[in-house]
Amino acid sequence: MIKKCLFPVAGYGTRFLPATKAMPKEILPILDKPLVQYAVEEAHEAGLSDLGFVTGRGKRALEDHFDVSYELEHQIQGSGKEKQLEGIRKLIDECTFSYTRQIEMKGLGHAILTGRTLVGDEPFGVVLADDLCFGEGVGVLAQMAKLYNQFRCSIVAIEEVPKDETNKYGVIAGEALTDNIFRVTDMVEKPDPKDAPSNMAIIGRYILTPDIFDIIENTEPGKNGEVQITDALLQQAKEGCVIAYKFSGKRFDCGSVKGFVEATNFCYEEFYLKNEPSATVVPIKKTK
Ligand code: UTP
């Protein structure tokens, strides 16, 4: 059973300036819930309760969010508003939260390596809160945790993207094991559409085996001068096995304004208008 999950949240969120000047991007809410809470709920639903955050300067609000707020809670005690804090209280009660800082933003691979002290020597999940996922029937990370039990190697979640958008993602090539499971044979970070090995893009959900840390340590900075997790994963795929999994559900790139607005509209229709609390799991779509 995987118990640990890493949340790299050190990035500057420059696409959301000025909103992110003094506030972490991951605190931006979709409806009434911050992105980071959706991310933690998804991990919790997958049975991962030992949660580590790789933070940076100006991210204190994240730590405060996963702590009790005595004054506020005393203030609203006995009122109907208490209900609105039930979800976050459950997470605080049932998970442990640890933090470490990435001093320099040297890329996602480097952020994950920074989290090594929080993870130790066991397989772990990685969730990028700015990719907001709604799993069909089961959350996306829970779908991946199940797959890990079968393959026992690193797993990346993938999604087909328009060919002209491959330059925003890590893109894989793979040998199909089933309709939605691939054994990775190649991986390229942000390729030009003409050089992309496919249109299957890696999104912000990973399950990694701990040998990835040594591999990252030996990975030179790649695209944009950053230490890329994609490069380390390719190495791992060459030495052993990495699985790419086309998940069931929907993903919104909430690191971009467009994706953020689309996610808001989705939640408004899927949850708010139905008077339901927003969640990371949606009902399975019936196919005709
Ligand atoms: P992004 O590049 O999408 O996030 O990184 P960003 O840098 O915050 O956003 P923009 O481009 O400036 O708007 C993907 C994820 O990886 C984390 C980010 O916090 C984000 O969740 N990250 C990235 C780190 O934690 N450290 C890094 O050095 C790089």
Side-chain angles (χ1 to χ4, degrees):
M1 275 281 279
I2 301 177
K3 281 279 150 217
K4 296 198 173 169
C5 192
L6 215 52
F7 299 85
V9 289
Y12 294 124
T14 53
R15 282 169 288 170
F16 270 93
L17 285 170
T20 48
K21 185 164 177 275
M23 178 177 69
K25 156 171 86 171
E26 298 77 10
I27 287 290
L28 293 173
I30 299 290
L31 302 188
D32 52 7
K33 199 191 284 187
L35 282 171
V36 70
Q37 189 175 332
Y38 287 94
V40 166
E41 284 177 0
E42 188 183 326
H44 179 258
E45 192 242 353
L48 282 59
S49 56
D50 194 343
L51 312 179
F53 290 73
V54 180
T55 69
R57 284 176 290 281
K59 299 278 183 171
R60 281 282 300 278
L62 287 166
E63 295 184 37
D64 290 340
H65 187 72
F66 294 106
D67 198 350
V68 286
S69 172
Y70 288 108
E71 252 180 66
L72 170 71
E73 288 176 40
H74 178 73
Q75 196 71 35
I76 64 174
Q77 208 171 19
S79 79
K81 290 175 184 156
E82 259 181 326
K83 218 173 154 33
Q84 281 171 255
L85 291 181
E86 272 174 11
I88 182 75
R89 279 311 295 252
K90 187 173 162 65
L91 294 175
I92 294 170
D93 289 346
E94 296 180 10
C95 300
T96 58
F97 299 83
S98 316
Y99 302 88
T100 189
R101 278 195 184 208
Q102 187 186 15
I103 306 297
E104 283 180 278
M105 300 317 124
K106 293 187 189 164
L108 180 57
H110 181 262
I112 291 172
L113 183 60
T114 306
R116 183 177 202 163
T117 46
L118 303 179
V119 169
D121 193 26
E122 50 188 289
F124 60 102
V126 175
V127 174
L128 304 186
D130 45 7
D131 262 344
L132 178 54
C133 290
F134 300 95
E136 265 185 38
V138 179
V140 173
L141 202 63
Q143 294 173 29
M144 296 170 72
K146 192 167 165 222
L147 210 60
Y148 173 79
N149 291 335
Q150 186 184 342
F151 287 96
R152 302 265 152 194
C153 68
S154 290
I155 297 173
V156 298
I158 52 165
E159 179 180 78
E160 288 192 49
V161 297
K163 192 85 187 179
D164 62 354
E165 288 184 16
T166 56
N167 56 1
K168 293 189 199 159
Y169 300 91
V171 176
I172 69 133
E175 169 201 335
L177 303 181
T178 68
D179 283 353
N180 55 5
I181 301 173
F182 301 81
R183 191 175 193 281
V184 172
T185 53
D186 196 10
M187 252 184 201
V188 189
E189 183 62 26
K190 301 189 174 71
D192 267 1
K194 64 175 175 16
D195 304 323
S198 75
N199 68 336
M200 293 191 285
I202 303 172
I203 63 128
R205 298 290 181 279
Y206 307 78
I207 287 182
L208 302 175
T209 51
D211 55 310
I212 197 75
F213 292 126
D214 283 345
I215 300 176
I216 301 173
E217 242 170 10
N218 292 308
T219 300
E220 293 293 322
K223 194 94 179 184
N224 303 332
E226 296 184 336
V227 179
Q228 300 290 353
I229 187 64
T230 316
D231 295 336
L233 279 164
L234 177 59
Q235 190 59 32
Q236 206 180 31
K238 284 180 181 163
E239 287 170 9
C241 181
V242 171
I243 292 292
Y245 169 61
K246 218 189 268 182
F247 63 94
S248 307
K250 241 179 167 348
R251 174 201 67 110
F252 295 95
D253 172 15
C254 292
S256 74
V257 173
K258 181 171 175 281
F260 189 90
V261 172
E262 284 167 0
T264 303
N265 291 337
F266 175 81
C267 284
Y268 181 70
E269 279 169 27
E270 198 69 33
F271 303 112
Y272 186 83
L273 290 181
K274 295 177 186 165
N275 217 2
E276 281 175 19
S278 42
T280 52
V281 179
V282 292
I284 296 170
K285 256 196 250 117
K286 288 193 186 81
T287 44
K288 284 178 200 156

